[in-house]
Amino acid sequence: MPARTASPIPSALEQLGSPADPLTSSDVADLHRFLILVADPRDARGLRYPALALLCAAVSAVLTGARSLIAIGEWITDAPQHVLGVLGFAADPLTGLRPVPHAATVRRLLQRVDGDALDAAISAYLQARTSPRSSRRWRQGRCDG
């Protein structure tokens, strides 16, 4: 029998609203505002993709249903070019296309990033997206999670 997941993410996702209310570019800009506080643990030499774009892509993948590192990598690979642009990936000056990172690049960043800082940034983002009524329920302890 498979183990039950103990992650609070699915219950937090239910607080975001219905699928008819998808993330917009202003939501991603708001996500940038929270994730910019997470420090990039990588050496500055030889970086091809900014940490902020990689983190925004990973968080967006999870918010849309990705539940593993493989699923996050697949989501980023399958993302349309305009979505990659909104997330912060730069276009190649010769082709105009936005190259996607290899799944191992995303995995290595997520392994090295400060988990507490990332958790705090995502939690603050989710709390900012909830309606005042539902966030009041969270503060009063009426929601499990």
Side-chain angles (χ1 to χ4, degrees), residues 6-110:
S7 174
I9 292 175
S11 61
L13 287 175
E14 293 168 5
Q15 300 294 320
L16 290 177
S18 66
D21 182 28
L23 293 175
T24 63
S25 59
S26 64
D27 294 330
V28 175
D30 196 37
L31 180 59
H32 280 152
R33 187 172 57 108
F34 290 97
L35 291 178
I36 201 162
L37 301 175
V38 178
D40 187 354
R42 304 173 299 169
D43 187 15
R45 294 175 293 174
L47 294 181
R48 184 171 181 186
Y49 302 100
L52 184 59
L54 292 170
L55 289 175
C56 281
V59 170
S60 297
V62 170
L63 289 175
T64 58
R67 303 228 184 258
S68 67
L69 290 172
I70 294 171
I72 291 171
E74 289 174 353
W75 186 92
I76 295 170
T77 301
D78 294 339
Q81 287 289 304
H82 72 278
V83 170
L84 294 173
V86 169
L87 291 172
F89 291 98
D92 183 285
L94 297 176
T95 64
L97 296 176
R98 298 175 196 289
V100 295
H102 191 273
T105 303
V106 179
R107 177 183 45 83
R108 283 191 303 267
L109 175 65
L110 291 175

